Amino acid sequence: MDDGTLKLWTGTPCSGVTAVTLIFETAGQGDQDQVWRAPKPGVTVERMDLLKTAGGSAPDTGGPLQVQKPLPTDFDWTKATSIVFYVSGPTANGAREDVAQLLRESPNHPSDSYLFGQQGWMNEADVQRENKKSFLTVCTPDPN
C-alpha cells in the first residue's frame, strides 16, 4: 500500500506473463477476482498499481496488460480476508497476503517495502539476499 493504492511487486521480474489474477477471499460473501490479460508472447511484470483503497477501478496500465475482468463496482476489497495473486504464462508460484495485516502494517513501512507473506516486509536488498534461501519470489523457479 502506498498513498491509498494497493501495489504489486513480484520481487523479481516475471517474463512472458499473459495474465495477472487477484482473488479476494471473503468470509461467507463469495470470492471476487480481477484479471488483467496481455496478448502472447506476454509481457514482463514486476511492479503494478492494482487498486485504490477508496474504491474505484484498477488503474490503466497504459500498455498491453489490460483489465479483462474487473471487480464488481460495489466491491470493497479492504473487507476481504486475504488476497491470492498469481500470474499465467511463465512457470510461477502463487502468493497469498492477509488483507488486515497489509492495511494495518503498511503505514509503518517505507514505500519501497512490500509484504512477502511469512517473510514479512522486505525491500529490494532483502529480497535479493533471501530469494532462493529462505523463500522464492513469484517467478523464481524452484531449484529442487
Side-chain angles (χ1 to χ4, degrees):
M1 292 286 308
D2 188 29
D3 291 329
T5 301
L6 177 63
K7 295 182 176 255
L8 167 74
W9 177 41
T10 60
T12 56
C14 295
S15 299
V17 173
T18 55
V20 171
T21 302
L22 288 180
I23 301 169
F24 295 89
E25 299 176 324
T26 56
Q29 298 176 356
D31 298 346
Q32 297 290 337
D33 61 325
Q34 180 155 309
V35 179
W36 289 259
R37 291 216 183 271
K40 289 186 177 186
V43 296
T44 298
V45 173
E46 186 173 10
R47 296 179 191 272
M48 262 179 86
D49 289 355
L50 299 173
L51 300 168
K52 301 278 186 194
T53 54
S57 61
D60 181 0
T61 62
L65 197 60
Q66 297 293 316
V67 173
Q68 179 193 28
K69 180 182 178 194
L71 290 166
T73 55
D74 62 344
F75 181 71
D76 182 356
W77 70 266
T78 65
K79 306 291 186 219
T81 54
S82 58
I83 302 170
V84 176
F85 162 79
Y86 64 92
V87 298
S88 300
T91 300
N93 310 295
R96 172 178 273 116
E97 299 299 341
D98 179 270
V99 172
Q101 178 185 8
L102 179 69
L103 293 171
R104 181 179 62 251
E105 295 178 6
S106 185
N108 302 323
H109 293 277
S111 62
D112 69 341
S113 292
Y114 289 75
L115 184 57
F116 281 84
Q118 300 297 327
Q119 299 306 121
W121 292 86
M122 303 179 84
N123 62 25
E124 192 166 344
D126 299 329
V127 170
Q128 286 180 356
R129 182 180 60 250
E130 295 300 321
N131 190 29
K132 298 183 187 175
K133 293 179 183 166
S134 63
F135 82 109
L136 298 173
T137 65
V138 171
C139 288
T140 298
D142 189 341
N144 296 324

